[in-house]
Amino acid sequence: MHKFLPAIGFSKLNKEKLSSLLQEIMLRPDYQESAIDFEGNQFVELRYMVADNVGLVLRGIYNDNDEFILDYYYPSFFGESVSINNDVDVIKQSDKDNFQVMVDELRLGVNLIFQLQNMGEYLRKNIMEGKSGDRDIRLAALSLEGKILLPIYDDEKSRIKEKMNNQKRIDLVEQAREGDEEALESLTMDEIELYQRITRRVSREDILSVVKSYFMPYGIENDKYEILGEILDVKTVVNHLTMEELYLLVVDSNDVVLEVCINKNNLFGEPAIGRRFKGTIWLQGTVDFS
């Protein structure tokens, strides 16, 4: 968690300055909420924003003397647009008072796992741990390194065809999960055909001109991913404490739209709508429990 501080503009923060900043947040947070967990334990979250939807989150409890006892903190970026509407599985981490969310997202082909940002709301709603039905999910991510790539040329006709093919694949996967052998056979044949086409093309083309976007796990931590996707929007903000510039990117990766915050110094290239972002991310998100 702490290694992602540079992503929100704290690339030169030493231990002394960090300690002073945390003390200041404990005394004067921008936002505070509290809840009681399923076992009757107190939960308190403090937030301090350094730019639009970007800031530090502190979690802990208040003792009998009304002093905040810090459990842990992490940098965070809160997304605004709905990325997914799907069934969610909320899982408590064993090493700390924290929850992760798992979503079975067919468009990505992987179980999507991310840090739950609105943990207080989850506890206040008293939703039992585990599955909680279809919910609106707003995905956001922090990135420590990224590159800007030129887009792959395509026209409206090819875009429509690609969306139709993606939807056809999703339908086949759902049918195969229900035991449809014909759907499973069709998926197998499609995979073989796709492998053959890619093999022929990569022998004479760069892989990044063949693969338009991808979303895949990165490393051994289950909420880290490497993505490649089209940039839909770009915004520049400034961390008002350090004056470091940040890019807030809206990225479409495998038909899933998410927002990415990255330090301008850690992004190679100039972002623009239509270009592609390639980088590693730590995925976070809010779930609508209303």
Side-chain angles (χ1 to χ4, degrees):
M1 292 182 176
H2 303 159
K3 70 179 181 180
F4 282 87
L5 285 170
I8 66 169
F10 291 110
S11 59
K12 299 177 181 179
L13 196 63
N14 57 37
K15 289 185 178 181
E16 182 179 346
K17 291 181 179 179
L18 175 60
S19 178
S20 176
L21 175 59
L22 294 178
Q23 289 296 327
E24 181 68 20
I25 297 173
M26 293 177 198
L27 293 174
R28 283 177 284 274
D30 291 330
Y31 172 85
Q32 175 179 327
E33 68 173 350
S34 60
I36 303 298
D37 68 16
F38 309 118
E39 299 173 350
N41 301 314
Q42 182 191 39
F43 163 82
V44 178
E45 177 174 291
L46 309 178
R47 296 179 189 173
Y48 181 78
M49 311 310 290
V50 298
D52 292 345
N53 299 324
V54 179
L56 280 170
V57 174
L58 282 63
R59 288 177 175 172
I61 62 171
Y62 280 109
N63 63 15
D64 294 336
N65 296 322
D66 204 27
E67 297 173 331
F68 183 77
I69 307 302
L70 178 65
D71 183 13
Y72 64 93
Y73 69 92
Y74 68 93
S76 193
F77 171 44
F78 295 87
E80 295 183 331
S81 55
V82 176
S83 305
I84 300 172
N85 180 276
N86 208 331
D87 185 53
V88 299
D89 194 359
V90 183
I91 305 167
K92 188 177 188 303
Q93 290 185 271
S94 59
D95 58 336
K96 56 181 172 291
D97 193 14
N98 187 37
F99 288 87
Q100 289 186 325
V101 179
M102 183 170 68
V103 181
D104 186 8
E105 181 51 56
L106 296 179
R107 288 173 294 179
L108 301 179
V110 297
N111 284 329
L112 194 65
I113 299 175
F114 60 88
Q115 165 99 1
L116 179 63
Q117 293 172 308
N118 56 328
M119 179 175 158
E121 180 186 0
Y122 174 71
L123 295 175
R124 285 198 309 275
K125 296 292 184 181
N126 200 25
I127 300 171
M128 293 304 294
E129 185 176 350
K131 291 187 178 298
S132 56
D134 285 353
R135 308 282 180 175
D136 285 343
I137 302 168
R138 291 171 172 81
L139 296 176
L142 300 180
S143 179
L144 291 177
E145 57 177 346
K147 297 179 180 179
I148 299 300
L149 305 179
L150 293 175
I152 295 177
Y153 173 77
D154 57 4
D155 52 24
E156 188 62 25
K157 183 178 179 180
S158 62
R159 286 176 178 266
I160 294 174
K161 183 179 179 181
E162 181 183 1
K163 286 186 177 293
M164 291 176 61
N165 289 337
N166 289 340
Q167 187 58 50
K168 177 185 175 183
R169 180 182 178 279
I170 291 173
D171 293 341
L172 286 173
V173 170
E174 290 178 341
Q175 293 168 20
R177 287 183 171 184
E178 295 173 357
D180 189 329
E181 294 186 3
E182 290 186 8
L184 182 59
E185 183 178 344
S186 180
L187 278 172
T188 303
M189 296 304 297
D190 288 346
E191 292 293 335
I192 293 174
E193 182 183 348
L194 179 62
Y195 175 78
Q196 291 174 343
R197 290 206 313 268
I198 291 177
T199 301
R200 288 194 297 268
R201 289 188 60 182
V202 295
S203 63
R204 61 181 186 276
E205 298 179 52
D206 182 85
I207 186 66
L208 293 178
S209 66
V210 177
V211 179
K212 181 179 180 181
S213 70
Y214 60 74
F215 200 118
M216 60 186 186
Y218 179 82
I220 61 174
E221 297 176 88
N222 52 22
D223 54 3
K224 307 296 189 302
Y225 298 89
E226 183 171 346
I227 67 168
L228 170 65
E230 180 183 356
I231 298 174
L232 304 180
D233 193 22
V234 181
K235 183 179 180 181
T236 303
V237 297
V238 176
N239 181 319
H240 67 78
L241 292 181
T242 64
M243 303 310 294
E244 294 184 29
E245 291 186 85
L246 313 173
Y247 283 126
L248 307 183
L249 311 175
V250 180
V251 179
D252 181 347
S253 179
N254 278 26
D255 288 335
V256 172
V257 176
L258 68 153
E259 300 176 42
V260 180
C261 175
I262 185 171
N263 196 307
K264 184 177 181 180
N265 295 327
N266 296 332
L267 182 63
F268 183 77
E270 186 70 23
I273 295 175
R275 294 179 180 177
R276 291 182 294 166
F277 170 81
K278 177 181 179 293
T280 56
I281 62 170
W282 174 31
L283 194 60
Q284 307 176 353
T286 60
V287 179
D288 184 2
F289 292 112
S290 60

